[in-house]
Amino acid sequence: KEEWRDAIQKSVEEQMKASPVVDNKNLSTIASTFLHMGKTMKMDMITVVQHIKHHYPENFQVCNTYAKFYHRYFSSQMAMFANFELSKEDNYLLLKWVQNLYLENIQNNSDLVKELDEASLGNLLPLEQIENLEQTYLIYEVDFIRSCLDRCLEIEANSWTEEPKPSILDNYYHSELSIDAIKAMCEVQECAMAITPEVGHKMSALLLTELLIFLQSYERKLEIFIKENRQKIYFEAIIIANINNFENFWTHTEKNTDSAESDVKTNIFSILEDIRTTGFNVLLAPLFQESETLLRQFNERRWASCSDLMDEIITFLDARIRVFQMLKNPHRQVIMERIHFFLVQKYIKRLMWKNTTLKSPEKQNQLSELIRRHASILYTFCTENGSNATWLESAIPSLAEIIRLQDPDAIKIEVCALVSRYPDIKRRHLRAILNIKHLSSSNLNSILIVLNIHGDATLPSSLLFSGIRLPFPLH
């Protein structure tokens, strides 16, 4: 029996040492060696199970004997190569054979699984060596993805100054940055998952950290570009293309990570929001500045000559916001809601800054109608262009109604409605509106008391009146 075992061992070693039948020049020496050994062990063991086993007495444990000799030889070769200074590719190959291919293609083969389970072969390498291979693999891949992401960002940043205009995809300004960066990370993640889910999970956490570092660099480069290139002809188009990257990075981070990495995810989302906000601010700053110059005319003209002023403002805005059609949603909606908020708030500010009193109900009614018309034009323009800030709809009309009403009790009811919708309104704001009317001190104070009733109301996340400062003291 011992002679038989020695003969089996020698035969196994000769089979495993034999040169591969097909010389694949695309594979490294290690890859060719492991492919040959894996195929040899698998096919020879199937032959043993199906054709040789039944020719021997049960106490010879034929399958067990063959399996252990094949495993021992495979393991010795694996240990030898593991002690070399391996390339990135060969390190990955060893790790994949140890953790995946050997298990899936040989040990769990449907023809062999029962026999190999009984042989209790164990791992091809000791746990410590497997961990060393895994650690080396992760270091290699982190260096690789960092290099890839740096290259992606370099190409993108160069395109901002070297190319004439961003490309257009599906009618939106387009940047390849998010696509290229995410593709590189997904490829690395897929390779890690092909080893084991555990290695894939470790890689996921590392990739998330690398994405955070990359986005921090991206934000810095974008800030430098903004600072130095505001006069560039396609400046707005480049900013829009970069804002359009937002959704891909956000979705990738949400879908490809788990709650264990929540701190890094939170930081990524924060940076993405900062990048988008920076882009919005850059796009809106000149628009807001010019809009406020036009709105200032409410305080420079008489009310009767302001009837067409809102039309002038809308004509100006219509031309300026056309470029925002190249923004993907939800970004176009967000930027239009910021414009909507700005216009409503600044209109109310100008109304309060007028600091004039209209004594006759007729003039108050005329002003109310003018304000209602302006409010309707403004709201229609903003909503037709993508704003969904419906909470702003009643703000200006409610002020117009307060100006129109003559009965103090009716005014109180309207003030209550206004305060319930906009609880951040203060006494000074309401008094500025009421000063337009010719109210007695007693009526004025009785209306202002309404604010005390709602003084403890919970403030909403979006505040309209708190950002309106008045140029004169009103208590």
Side-chain angles (χ1 to χ4, degrees):
K1 186 175 178 179
E2 287 304 316
E3 290 179 0
W4 172 78
R5 288 174 58 83
D6 290 343
I8 296 302
Q9 181 177 1
K10 183 178 180 182
S11 172
V12 165
E13 291 176 357
E14 288 175 353
Q15 288 285 90
M16 296 288 267
K17 288 177 183 177
S19 299
V21 177
V22 179
D23 184 19
N24 192 330
K25 294 181 180 179
N26 294 324
L27 297 179
S28 68
T29 300
I30 293 178
S32 296
T33 300
F34 287 142
L35 181 61
H36 165 71
M37 289 194 301
K39 284 184 175 180
T40 299
M41 180 175 178
K42 177 181 174 180
M43 299 312 297
D44 286 2
M45 282 303 304
I46 289 174
T47 300
V48 170
V49 170
Q50 294 180 347
H51 303 291
I52 296 176
K53 172 185 174 183
H54 62 274
H55 291 294
Y56 286 83
E58 188 174 336
N59 67 325
F60 269 69
Q61 296 184 308
V62 175
C63 292
N64 191 309
T65 301
Y66 271 96
K68 286 186 175 178
F69 282 134
Y70 274 114
H71 179 80
R72 189 179 302 165
Y73 186 85
F74 212 140
S75 179
S76 67
Q77 295 301 297
M78 184 71 71
M80 179 185 70
F81 283 119
N83 288 323
F84 293 166
E85 188 171 332
L86 299 169
S87 68
K88 174 177 176 287
E89 292 75 16
D90 286 338
N91 186 87
Y92 173 74
L93 185 67
L94 255 70
L95 188 59
K96 190 170 181 181
W97 265 104
V98 170
Q99 297 286 69
N100 182 289
L101 295 177
Y102 187 74
L103 179 67
E104 293 299 320
N105 294 326
I106 298 175
Q107 288 186 313
N108 287 343
N109 180 275
S110 58
D111 294 315
L112 303 177
V113 62
K114 180 176 179 296
E115 305 291 345
L116 296 185
D117 276 352
E118 291 176 359
S120 302
L121 300 179
N123 293 322
L124 282 174
L125 287 177
L127 184 59
E128 184 178 351
Q129 276 191 299
I130 294 173
E131 289 175 349
N132 289 339
L133 284 173
E134 184 180 295
Q135 190 61 34
T136 302
Y137 164 72
L138 294 173
I139 291 170
Y140 271 135
E141 290 304 302
V142 166
D143 288 344
F144 171 75
I145 197 62
R146 187 174 296 167
S147 175
C148 283
L149 294 177
D150 286 347
R151 179 61 181 154
C152 287
L153 185 53
E154 181 184 358
I155 292 171
E156 174 69 18
N158 288 340
S159 74
W160 299 338
T161 54
E162 294 175 2
E163 294 182 12
K165 185 179 181 179
S167 60
I168 295 174
L169 181 66
D170 298 331
N171 298 319
Y172 302 114
Y173 284 130
H174 175 69
S175 163
E176 288 287 318
L177 179 63
S178 61
I179 295 172
D180 292 342
I182 291 169
K183 181 182 178 184
M185 288 186 290
C186 286
E187 287 175 354
V188 169
Q189 182 65 36
E190 286 173 9
C191 288
M193 288 296 295
I195 298 172
T196 65
E198 290 75 15
V199 173
H201 177 75
K202 291 178 182 178
M203 182 59 73
S204 175
L206 292 171
L207 288 175
L208 200 63
T209 299
E210 291 305 310
L211 177 58
L212 175 59
I213 295 169
F214 163 76
L215 290 174
Q216 290 167 339
S217 298
Y218 177 30
E219 183 178 28
R220 287 193 295 270
K221 283 191 178 291
L222 199 56
E223 287 172 349
I224 293 170
F225 170 77
I226 290 169
K227 184 178 180 181
E228 298 177 354
N229 294 274
R230 286 179 183 266
Q231 303 307 314
K232 185 177 173 66
I233 188 170
Y234 294 117
F235 177 76
E236 286 185 330
I238 292 166
I239 298 301
I240 288 172
N242 279 278
I243 293 173
N244 285 339
N245 275 320
F246 176 98
E247 208 65 28
N248 286 340
F249 284 126
W250 189 286
T251 302
H252 171 79
T253 302
E254 277 191 327
K255 287 185 176 179
N256 293 277
T257 55
D258 59 33
S259 58
E261 298 137 6
S262 58
D263 289 345
V264 181
K265 284 175 68 172
T266 299
N267 290 335
I268 287 175
F269 293 149
S270 177
I271 288 177
L272 289 173
E273 287 287 7
D274 288 346
I275 291 172
R276 184 171 74 162
T277 299
T278 298
F280 284 165
N281 290 343
V282 167
L283 293 172
L284 292 174
L287 183 148
F288 284 172
Q289 185 176 0
E290 293 177 56
S291 297
E292 187 146 30
T293 299
L294 291 171
L295 283 162
R296 197 174 291 123
Q297 294 183 40
F298 279 117
N299 300 111
E300 297 169 356
R301 300 184 189 179
R302 291 180 178 276
W303 283 117
S305 62
C306 290
S307 60
D308 296 329
L309 186 53
M310 185 57 73
D311 293 320
E312 294 175 30
I313 293 170
I314 296 304
T315 299
F316 157 74
L317 288 170
D318 189 50
R320 290 300 305 271
I321 69 167
R322 285 174 191 168
V323 69
F324 299 156
Q325 293 174 2
M326 307 300 282
L327 268 171
K328 294 179 180 179
N329 266 328
H331 314 303
R332 185 166 69 251
Q333 177 183 325
V334 173
I335 203 167
M336 283 307 306
E337 288 176 0
R338 283 190 57 174
I339 293 170
H340 192 172
F341 178 86
F342 174 86
L343 292 173
V344 170
Q345 189 179 68
K346 296 305 178 183
Y347 187 94
I348 293 172
K349 173 185 173 181
R350 290 299 156 188
L351 185 61
M352 292 178 176
W353 277 38
K354 193 70 174 177
N355 197 25
T356 56
T357 300
L358 302 175
K359 294 183 178 180
S360 73
E362 181 183 1
K363 287 187 177 295
Q364 292 173 22
N365 189 62
Q366 288 172 355
L367 175 58
S368 176
E369 289 301 314
L370 175 65
I371 294 171
R372 283 182 182 278
R373 178 176 175 274
H374 287 170
S376 176
I377 293 171
L378 190 158
Y379 186 78
T380 299
F381 171 78
C382 291
T383 53
E384 286 183 351
N385 282 282
S387 171
N388 195 36
T390 54
W391 69 281
L392 293 169
E393 181 178 10
S394 63
I396 297 174
S398 186
L399 298 179
E401 184 66 4
I402 290 171
I403 293 170
R404 184 189 70 83
L405 292 170
Q406 299 303 312
D407 177 57
D409 289 335
I411 295 173
K412 290 178 186 177
I413 293 171
E414 187 60 36
V415 168
C416 283
L418 176 67
V419 175
S420 66
R421 288 189 292 265
Y422 307 99
D424 63 319
I425 190 170
K426 300 299 182 183
R427 182 184 179 92
R428 61 183 180 273
H429 299 130
L430 182 56
R431 182 156 188 168
I433 296 298
L434 293 175
N435 275 359
I436 296 172
K437 304 173 70 63
H438 189 59
L439 295 171
S440 67
S441 296
S442 59
N443 282 336
L444 177 63
N445 289 328
S446 69
I447 294 169
L448 290 172
I449 288 173
V450 171
L451 287 176
N452 298 335
I453 300 172
H454 295 270
D456 297 327
T458 302
L459 295 180
S461 57
S462 299
L463 303 176
L464 179 61
F465 285 88
S466 58
I468 299 174
R469 297 188 346 188
L470 301 178
F472 44 84
L474 286 170
H475 305 291

